[in-house]
């Protein structure tokens, strides 16, 4: 049986993230990823990957496999083309919630080449945050879902982007195959405030801008806060900002 949790807040600064840099990709990893392995930094709660990627125009991740993972992609700037082996092909852009359930196995690619679909060539890089959480059950059928939520984000406050939790059924933008996790997002104007959910595990990621968090202080683009057995803190924007917040009610192994 897992040991009881004690309240804990751990701040991880943007500059301390693991990095992968090649000619077409600038990727910053909040947790161990690929060739970067740190046994003390493999996950938080159910969240295994929080990659902050910038991909140059015309480049991207060629077709590759995934299995038994809930993958949520959040585009911050530019556009990303998704294509997969179960027939989905489309452009992901800011304000579009997107989830791919790898299930028993799926192949997909992610590239910064929207002209392959809409014909409008560009030179703009794409920046996106990709997050992976473990599913409830392995070996399910692969699945895909997306939904435009820009209007909800413009209204302010913390918006539920993706969830498998019962209390979000019918209210979350998209579903995920993990009943103990939910992802929320907020676009904040200066001096606007949101409240962190109270949960056994919470992960706050500052996508852009500067915010102040009660009990923590100033947080800047790329900073993250990992919280255990606590919540309810207020986050206030010092300038236009965007945050992603994972609320998790279990952890790997139970």
């Amino acid at each position: 049986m897992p040991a009881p949790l004690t309240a804990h807040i751990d701040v991880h600064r943007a500059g301390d993230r693991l990095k992968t840099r090649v000619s077409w990709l600038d990727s910053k990893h909040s947790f161990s990823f690929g060739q970067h392995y740190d046994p003390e930094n493999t996950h938080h709660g159910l969240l295994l990957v929080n990659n902050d990627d910038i991909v140059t125009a015309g480049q991207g991740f060629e077709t590759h496999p995934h299995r038994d993972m809930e993958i949520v992609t959040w585009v911050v700037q530019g556009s990303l083309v998704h294509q997969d082996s179960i027939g989905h092909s489309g452009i992901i852009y800011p304000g579009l919630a997107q989830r791919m359930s790898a299930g028993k196995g799926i192949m997909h690619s992610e590239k910064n080449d929207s002209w392959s679909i809409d014909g409008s060539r560009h030179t703009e890089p794409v920046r996106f945050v990709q997050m992976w959480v473990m599913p409830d059950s392995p070996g399910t059928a692969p699945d895909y879902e997306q939904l435009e939520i820009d209007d909800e984000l413009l209204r302010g406050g913390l918006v539920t982007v993706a969830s498998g939790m019962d209390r979000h059924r019918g209210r979350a933008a998209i579903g995920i195959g993990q009943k103990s996790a939910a992802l929320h997002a907020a676009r904040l104007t200066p001096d606007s405030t949101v409240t962190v959910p109270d949960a056994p595990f919470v992960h706050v990621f500052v996508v852009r801008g500067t915010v102040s968090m009660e009990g923590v202080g100033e947080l800047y683009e790329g900073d993250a806060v990992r919280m255990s057995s606590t919540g309810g803190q207020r986050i206030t924007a010092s300038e236009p900002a965007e945050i992603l917040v994972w609320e998790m009610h279990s952890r790997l192994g139970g």
Side-chain angles (χ1 to χ4, degrees), residues 14-26:
D16 296 330
R17 292 177 292 178
L18 302 165
K19 300 174 182 66
T20 298
R21 288 197 177 117
V22 295
S23 60
W24 57 272
L25 171 68
D26 181 355

Side-chain angles (χ1 to χ4, degrees), residues 90-109:
I91 301 172
I92 313 168
Y93 48 85
L96 183 76
Q98 188 251 31
R99 178 267 302 161
M100 184 180 75
S101 297
K104 61 185 178 182
I106 194 170
M107 304 283 288
H108 82 141
S109 64

Side-chain angles (χ1 to χ4, degrees), residues 5-171:
L5 291 173
T6 56
H8 183 71
I9 297 177
D10 192 9
V11 179
H12 291 253
R13 296 298 179 182
D16 296 330
R17 292 177 292 178
L18 302 165
K19 300 174 182 66
T20 298
R21 288 197 177 117
V22 295
S23 60
W24 57 272
L25 171 68
D26 181 355
S27 184
K28 302 177 183 71
H29 319 294
S30 295
F31 304 100
S32 295
F33 188 81
Q35 75 271 30
H36 303 290
Y37 180 70
D38 176 357
E40 301 300 318
N41 185 31
T42 58
H43 67 282
H44 180 65
L46 295 163
L47 183 64
L48 289 91
V49 169
N50 187 86
N51 285 351
D52 187 354
D53 293 342
I54 297 175
V55 174
T56 59
Q59 302 293 325
F61 299 95
E62 299 291 349
T63 302
H64 58 281
H66 288 285
R67 183 181 179 90
D68 292 328
M69 199 65 63
E70 297 293 300
I71 300 174
V72 179
T73 301
W74 186 256
V75 172
V76 182
Q77 179 182 2
S79 60
L80 186 69
V81 173
H82 166 95
Q83 294 180 308
D84 64 43
S85 56
I86 56 174
H88 298 100
S89 178
I91 301 172
I92 313 168
Y93 48 85
L96 183 76
Q98 188 251 31
R99 178 267 302 161
M100 184 180 75
S101 297
K104 61 185 178 182
I106 194 170
M107 304 283 288
H108 82 141
S109 64
E110 298 156 301
K111 301 185 73 174
N112 182 5
D113 63 350
S114 58
W115 55 83
S116 65
I117 294 179
D118 64 15
S120 55
R121 195 169 187 91
H122 66 265
T123 59
E124 182 184 25
V126 59
R127 179 183 172 211
F128 61 98
V129 181
Q130 189 166 92
M131 299 152 282
W132 302 5
V133 296
M134 290 294 292
D136 291 319
S137 303
T140 60
D143 193 26
Y144 178 92
E145 187 178 3
Q146 67 178 48
L147 187 68
E148 167 68 62
I149 61 168
D150 206 53
D151 287 347
E152 288 83 353
L153 291 165
L154 289 171
R155 294 188 193 109
L158 211 55
V159 176
T160 304
V161 174
S163 178
M165 296 171 58
D166 286 342
R167 66 186 177 89
H168 293 139
R169 190 165 295 165
R171 296 194 295 118

